[in-house]
Amino acid sequence: MTERLPDRFDSIEALEEFMTRPSPSLVDELGSTPGDIIVLGVGGKMGPTLARKAKRAAPTKRVIGVARFSEKGVREALEKAGVEAVP
């Protein structure tokens, strides 16, 4: 069952928390998949959200994000979330 979308988000942080909250099935799937997780193009539009969601779903796995990191602050935000950033 998917989580119901709220009528509104009170902050960017609340929206990002919602968007990166993994479903139980994703937690199970990534937990049973061997190896690390790599996200190519992690600095793009969907990359940061995808990488943070993967890290939240599988906190003991290495999540590696590869990008040019042309947008200021993206690399640092990903590293703060536990994603290994590789330029």
Side-chain angles (χ1 to χ4, degrees):
M1 181 174 170
T2 59
E3 190 172 352
R4 184 174 142 1
L5 186 64
D7 292 330
R8 63 172 280 142
F9 293 97
D10 294 327
S11 66
I12 297 286
E13 292 79 16
L15 172 62
E16 289 180 353
E17 192 284 325
F18 182 84
M19 290 175 59
T20 63
R21 188 181 310 154
S23 66
S25 61
L26 180 61
V27 171
D28 291 343
E29 193 67 34
L30 290 182
S32 66
T33 303
D36 299 329
I37 300 166
I38 189 163
V39 179
L40 300 177
V42 76
K45 292 180 190 253
M46 299 185 318
T49 303
L50 178 65
R52 287 194 307 266
K53 188 169 197 163
K55 188 63 180 175
R56 288 183 69 185
T60 62
K61 288 188 179 278
R62 287 178 67 204
V63 177
I64 305 153
V66 180
R68 289 179 291 169
F69 295 107
S70 54
E71 186 177 328
K72 185 178 180 183
V74 173
R75 181 178 182 178
E76 294 78 10
L78 286 168
E79 288 174 340
K80 184 176 179 183
V83 175
E84 296 177 40
V86 178

